[in-house]
Structures are given as structure tokens and as C-alpha cells.
Amino acid sequence: QGYVIAVAGKLSKTADAFRTVVEEHGGLFREKVRGNVNMLVASEAEVKKMSCKVAQAAELNISVVREDWIWKTIEVGHAVTMEDNTEVFFRLQTNKAQPSGARSSSSGQAAFQTKQVQQPLKGYGIAVAGMLSKTAADFRKIVEENGGLFCEKIRHNVDMLVAEEAEWKAMSGKVAQAARLNI
């Protein structure tokens, strides 16, 4: 109760079935990983490949848990915490580069300057389509440097699609998929 939950990957039930279970037990279900989500239920495969949803959860400090977390939480009648059962939580290893405003201290810890680093794309999943003025690798770098998450495929976790005009007019490939998902 009181949890806002999203799911990622191939689990034992569909996303709609999870929505029903979560809502029946007083939680809220979200298709996208945003700051208001406090648990991401993910498959092992999604965590291993650090999918866009898992990366978003890591970026936003959202707990990523195995499917068992839901069933154990329902069984005991309250949210299972890491202290209760560490096996249902994933421990994410991130290899984030230091922000441009960071410098290393002698202890190896990141020491930040007082200037706040702007991240205008933080929490947004962004994909690209077509022949643009920059390569996909360049767009990935720009998106990630500005706090966003670059997504290769068009799924529910994509918020924006950057595409050339011809792609939009033809409604082909990624643009058609984005339209079907109301992106």
C-alpha cells in the first residue's frame, strides 16, 4: 500500500496483470519510470543488460526488485525491505562518469564544486530515428551528458523521439511505433 510500481522485462505475468495486482493491494502502477515511482520490478535479463527502465531507476535512486518482492510483500502484509529480505533486491553496479563539475579528491571520492550541474533531460527517455544532423552516438552522448537516458528501441519508457521530417511524413519504423504508444 502506498507504493508506486513500474515493471520491466519478461515476468511471470503481463504488465496489465501486474497493474491489477498492485492496484488491488493499494498501490499505484506506472508504465514509465519517473521520480514518483518507488519500486521497479524487473527481470534478471533487464538488469543484466541495464535496460533503459533499469538505468532510469538507477539514475533516480529507485529500488529495483525481483518479482518475488511483490509476492512476499502481499504475503506478509507490508512492504518487504532490504533488511527483511535482501534476495528480492537487485544491487545495481553503475559505471557513471563523473559530472563535468566534479573533480577527484585525494581520497578518491568525488568532490563537487559549489556550482550546480544543470541536467535538463534528467529522467527523460529519448530515442532518435532517421538521418539527422548528428549520428546516434553523438545524440547518445548529448542526451546522457544532459541527464537523459538514450533508448535504442521505442517502448513505453521513451518520452521523446527526435526524427527527421521525412520519417514523420512517412510514419515509418520508429515514428509509427511512437505514434502507437502516444509518444
Side-chain angles (χ1 to χ4, degrees):
Q1 189 165 15
Y3 275 83
V4 181
I5 298 169
V7 297
K10 187 171 171 72
L11 302 168
S12 70
K13 298 186 180 306
T14 65
D16 285 338
F18 273 108
R19 175 188 300 276
T20 300
V21 169
V22 166
E23 291 174 353
E24 283 176 354
H25 290 88
L28 295 173
F29 184 88
R30 298 290 182 257
E31 293 200 12
K32 296 182 180 188
V33 176
R34 294 285 168 270
N36 66 338
V37 170
N38 46 28
M39 286 289 171
L40 174 64
V41 178
S43 68
E44 190 90 29
E46 290 293 296
V47 173
K48 282 182 181 175
K49 72 179 183 180
M50 200 64 165
S51 72
C52 201
K53 279 188 175 182
V54 173
Q56 283 175 316
E59 177 74 25
L60 296 170
N61 293 320
I62 295 169
S63 295
V64 180
V65 295
R66 290 176 169 77
E67 183 178 342
D68 287 349
W69 178 85
I70 286 186
W71 312 126
K72 289 182 188 295
T73 293
I74 290 169
E75 180 183 316
V76 299
H78 63 84
V80 174
T81 65
M82 189 175 280
E83 291 78 30
D84 296 333
N85 187 331
T86 59
E87 294 90 41
V88 296
F89 286 80
F90 286 107
R91 286 182 175 73
L92 300 180
Q93 300 294 321
T94 59
N95 295 324
K96 290 184 189 175
Q98 282 183 307
S100 59
R103 62 187 191 295
S104 294
S105 67
S106 58
S107 66
Q109 301 276 339
F112 292 91
Q113 298 171 352
T114 56
K115 183 179 154 194
Q116 182 72 24
V117 177
Q118 294 291 335
Q119 293 192 316
L121 300 178
K122 184 171 183 152
Y124 287 97
I126 300 171
V128 297
M131 299 296 294
L132 301 167
S133 63
K134 298 189 180 303
T135 67
D138 289 338
F139 268 104
R140 174 186 296 274
K141 183 178 178 190
I142 292 166
V143 166
E144 291 174 353
E145 284 176 351
N146 286 281
L149 296 160
F150 185 85
C151 302
E152 298 281 338
K153 296 181 181 179
I154 303 296
R155 298 213 173 115
H156 289 287
N157 56 337
V158 173
D159 298 295
M160 294 177 229
L161 174 64
V162 178
E164 68 175 325
E165 188 175 354
E167 291 283 320
W168 288 109
K169 286 180 180 176
M171 284 299 282
S172 61
K174 288 183 177 180
V175 175
Q177 181 66 18
R180 282 193 292 278
L181 295 173
N182 293 320
I183 296 171

